[in-house]
């Protein structure tokens, strides 16, 4: 999926091509976005900007925006991904076709927990409604892109292993799991799926990298400090050292 096995995780309103370029020295992948694709999720993003101290990407034409951002990464040594929010399959298919042209990963956001996005039926509510998540994954896969699904743990009433099986069957290639304070869920997912598993939340140093890789993650990702070279260098060194020790190094 990508090497080295460190990804930069989406930060709405911040994670653009410039951000990815700045982390490319250490990361093998960079998930731009999230970008809201359809009217319900765009209205939710407008509400988040209006009501809270949050920034969002709200370009006039989200698919053209993604195309421009991915084009700006052409020749940069990092695999791009694009994290998208949608309640409907058609715009996911459209953006996935653009992603496929750039060999980028489309990441379906079943993770965000802002009330506005949840009320629209997007983000983490998709974990409770896999019947609505599956068509989004199928739409992305049908356009020929590699597909990741971003999920989070600690969502009442959600069996993440079951969701993982459903999205894998629908064509997902990767699972990007925000483990919150339930790191061992990574081991449950690693045992249950053949998807490439990216572990996220609190990845900052050797101990946090080792914990996730020992639980069976294929890669780790860094979100909030993804603009901090000191953190990225420390995490990248820890990933390389841990994978060397396990005999998994690509070099
Ligand atoms: C300001 C902010 C915006 C975020 N926006 C998104 C988003 O649009 N899509 C997404 O999947 N995750 C989003 N996240 C979650 C991060 O990608 C990541 O999963 C989370 O911050 C935990 O990882 P960390 O401990 O390395 O920061 C956001 C997080 C923050 C703090």
């Amino acid at each position: 999926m990508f090497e080295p096995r460190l990804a930069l995780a989406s930060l709405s309103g911040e994670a653009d091509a410039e951000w990815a370029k700045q982390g490319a020295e250490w990361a093998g992948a960079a998930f731009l976005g999230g970008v809201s694709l359809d009217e319900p999720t765009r209205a939710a993003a407008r509400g988040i900007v209006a009501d809270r101290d949050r920034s969002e990407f709200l370009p006039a034409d989200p698919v053209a925006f993604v195309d421009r951002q991915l084009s700006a990464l052409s020749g940069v040594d990092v695999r791009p991904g694009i994290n998208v929010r949608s309640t409907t399959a058609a715009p996911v298919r459209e953006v996935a076709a653009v992603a496929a042209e750039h060999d980028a990963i489309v990441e379906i956001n079943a993770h965000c927990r802002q009330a506005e996005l949840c009320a629209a039926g997007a983000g983490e509510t998709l974990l409770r409604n896999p019947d609505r998540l599956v068509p989004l994954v199928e739409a992305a896969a049908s356009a020929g892109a590699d597909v990741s699904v971003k999920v989070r743990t600690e969502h009442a009433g959600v069996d993440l292993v079951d969701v993982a099986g459903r999205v894998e069957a629908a064509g997902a290639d990767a699972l990007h799991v925000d483990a919150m304070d339930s790191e061992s869920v990574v081991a449950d997912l690693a045992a249950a799926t053949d998807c490439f598993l990216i572990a996220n939340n609190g990845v900052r140093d050797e101990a946090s990298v080792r914990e996730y890789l020992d639980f069976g993650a294929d890669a780790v990702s860094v979100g909030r400090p993804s603009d901090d070279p000191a953190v990225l260098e420390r995490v990248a060194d820890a990933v390389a050292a841990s994978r060397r020790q396990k005999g998994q190094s690509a070099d």
Side-chain angles (χ1 to χ4, degrees), residues 72-112:
L73 286 173
S74 150
V76 178
D77 191 15
V78 68
R79 185 162 192 208
I82 181 71
N83 178 283
V84 296
R85 299 102 160 231
S86 186
T87 62
T88 44
V92 173
R93 192 174 298 110
E94 207 184 331
V95 88
V98 168
E101 282 169 23
H102 294 278
D103 194 28
I105 304 161
V106 175
E107 181 165 89
I108 310 295
N109 183 323
H111 168 275
C112 279

Side-chain angles (χ1 to χ4, degrees), residues 13-96:
E14 294 173 40
D16 61 5
E18 273 315 304
W19 163 88
K21 278 182 197 167
Q22 279 162 24
E25 182 176 344
W26 301 280
F31 290 93
L32 312 188
V35 178
S36 294
L37 296 181
D38 61 354
E39 192 41 42
T41 56
R42 283 171 62 77
R46 284 194 291 272
I48 290 171
V49 171
D51 300 343
R52 305 159 189 254
D53 190 20
R54 293 281 294 237
S55 59
E56 284 284 331
F57 294 114
L58 274 164
D61 181 340
V63 176
F65 171 77
V66 169
D67 197 12
R68 281 196 304 276
Q69 292 292 316
L70 296 178
S71 297
L73 286 173
S74 150
V76 178
D77 191 15
V78 68
R79 185 162 192 208
I82 181 71
N83 178 283
V84 296
R85 299 102 160 231
S86 186
T87 62
T88 44
V92 173
R93 192 174 298 110
E94 207 184 331
V95 88

Side-chain angles (χ1 to χ4, degrees), residues 9-10 12 34 54 83 85 109 111 150 200 202 204 223-224:
S10 308
S12 55
R54 293 281 294 237
N83 178 283
R85 299 102 160 231
N109 183 323
H111 168 275
K150 178 95 175 268
N200 167 253
R204 306 288 182 264
R224 285 162 288 186

Side-chain angles (χ1 to χ4, degrees), residues 191-216:
T193 161
D194 290 329
C195 284
F196 186 89
L197 196 55
I198 308 164
N200 167 253
N201 201 305
V203 175
R204 306 288 182 264
D205 55 16
E206 194 183 337
S208 43
V209 166
R210 186 172 298 278
E211 181 177 30
Y212 282 129
L213 295 184
D214 285 351
F215 277 136

Side-chain angles (χ1 to χ4, degrees), residues 52-185:
R52 305 159 189 254
D53 190 20
R54 293 281 294 237
S55 59
E56 284 284 331
F57 294 114
L58 274 164
D61 181 340
V63 176
F65 171 77
V66 169
D67 197 12
R68 281 196 304 276
Q69 292 292 316
L70 296 178
S71 297
L73 286 173
S74 150
V76 178
D77 191 15
V78 68
R79 185 162 192 208
I82 181 71
N83 178 283
V84 296
R85 299 102 160 231
S86 186
T87 62
T88 44
V92 173
R93 192 174 298 110
E94 207 184 331
V95 88
V98 168
E101 282 169 23
H102 294 278
D103 194 28
I105 304 161
V106 175
E107 181 165 89
I108 310 295
N109 183 323
H111 168 275
C112 279
R113 57 182 167 184
Q114 284 76 29
E116 295 88 343
L117 280 164
C118 291
E124 69 173 11
T125 61
L126 293 170
L127 298 175
R128 260 189 282 119
N129 297 283
D131 287 346
R132 289 199 291 104
L133 176 57
V134 160
L136 305 181
V137 175
E138 287 172 343
S142 73
D146 277 358
V147 183
S148 169
V149 181
K150 178 95 175 268
V151 302
R152 75 160 71 242
T153 63
E154 301 179 10
H155 195 48
V158 169
D159 178 351
L160 217 44
V161 166
D162 178 62
V163 173
R166 297 279 306 269
V167 300
E168 182 174 16
D173 304 285
L175 272 178
H176 190 172
V177 55
D178 179 343
M180 312 278 288
D181 290 321
S182 304
E183 292 84 352
S184 66
V185 170

